């Protein structure tokens, strides 16, 4: 698998396509909530397997945190450690930008996945796009 920072409009559209498949089609998030105003300011990541886009995410810097957002892997590619590799690439980008704390809002079904990667839950459960989430943070060194 190849993880890259989005550099072209074509790559950005491929990242949006993966996000749409996972969040809009699969999880029924309204399209206007999935693709939002923050997409213009974010750093986007796209992952390819054999030239095909299979995972995507975005990273923003909010307060003292690198905020990991819109992390998704196509259903048929899950369970192959691609999500963990994507998180590691995002954490490296956070450090490269001079930040030392990562934050994310995890869907509750994925909370243990993020715990295994060193994230700590710091909130109670809340709804985002009708899906239960918790906020998690991690100190990066």
């Amino acid at each position: 698998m190849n993880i890259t920072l989005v550099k072209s409009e074509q790559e950005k559209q491929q990242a949006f396509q993966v996000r749409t498949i996972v969040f809009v089609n699969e999880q029924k998030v309204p399209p206007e909530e999935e693709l939002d105003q923050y997409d213009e300011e974010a750093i986007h990541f796209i992952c390819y397997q054999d030239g095909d886009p299979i995972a995507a995410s975005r990273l923003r810097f909010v307060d003292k945190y690198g905020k990991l957002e819109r992390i998704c892997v196509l259903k048929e590619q899950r369970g192959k450690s691609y999500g963990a590799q994507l998180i590691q690439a995002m954490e490296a980008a956070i450090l490269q930008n001079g930040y030392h704390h990562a934050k994310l809002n995890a869907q509750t079904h994925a909370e243990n996945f993020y715990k295994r990667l060193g994230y700590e839950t710091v909130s109670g459960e809340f709804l985002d796009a009708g899906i239960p989430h918790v906020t998690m943070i991690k100190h990066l060194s």
Side-chain angles (χ1 to χ4, degrees):
M1 182 190 61
N2 178 32
I3 302 172
T4 185
L5 288 176
V6 166
K7 299 176 203 72
S8 70
E9 187 60 30
Q10 178 184 357
E11 290 172 335
K12 189 184 218 182
Q13 291 308 313
Q14 289 174 327
F16 290 171
Q17 178 185 18
V18 172
R19 286 172 44 189
T20 297
I21 290 168
V22 173
F23 294 121
V24 177
N25 299 350
E26 184 182 328
Q27 298 184 355
K28 307 303 181 206
V29 173
E32 62 274 9
E33 289 186 42
E34 172 48 34
L35 301 174
D36 63 20
Q37 71 274 17
Y38 300 118
D39 282 319
E40 291 307 311
E41 70 184 54
I43 298 169
H44 295 271
F45 294 78
I46 185 86
C47 307
Y48 296 98
Q49 181 68 25
D50 299 325
D52 295 321
I54 62 160
S57 64
R58 76 177 185 194
L59 173 63
R60 294 188 306 126
F61 298 99
V62 179
D63 300 321
K64 64 178 182 176
Y65 293 98
K67 191 161 187 264
L68 291 71
E69 300 177 326
R70 305 301 201 267
I71 302 158
C72 58
V73 178
L74 293 178
K75 192 174 199 171
E76 60 273 13
Q77 299 295 335
R78 293 180 196 150
K80 301 177 183 178
S81 83
Y82 297 149
Q85 292 175 54
L86 180 56
I87 299 298
Q88 290 169 351
M90 296 176 78
E91 290 173 352
I94 290 169
L95 289 169
Q96 289 168 358
N97 280 275
Y99 290 77
H100 295 280
H101 296 89
K103 183 178 189 176
L104 56 85
N105 292 330
Q107 294 183 9
T108 54
H109 72 83
E111 187 175 2
N112 285 332
F113 166 77
Y114 292 110
K115 282 183 177 179
R116 286 192 301 273
L117 296 175
Y119 285 81
E120 173 188 354
T121 302
V122 295
S123 79
E125 189 175 298
F126 60 93
L127 291 179
D128 186 5
I131 300 169
H133 283 73
V134 291
T135 299
M136 304 182 81
I137 60 171
K138 179 180 178 179
H139 177 76
L140 307 175
S141 54

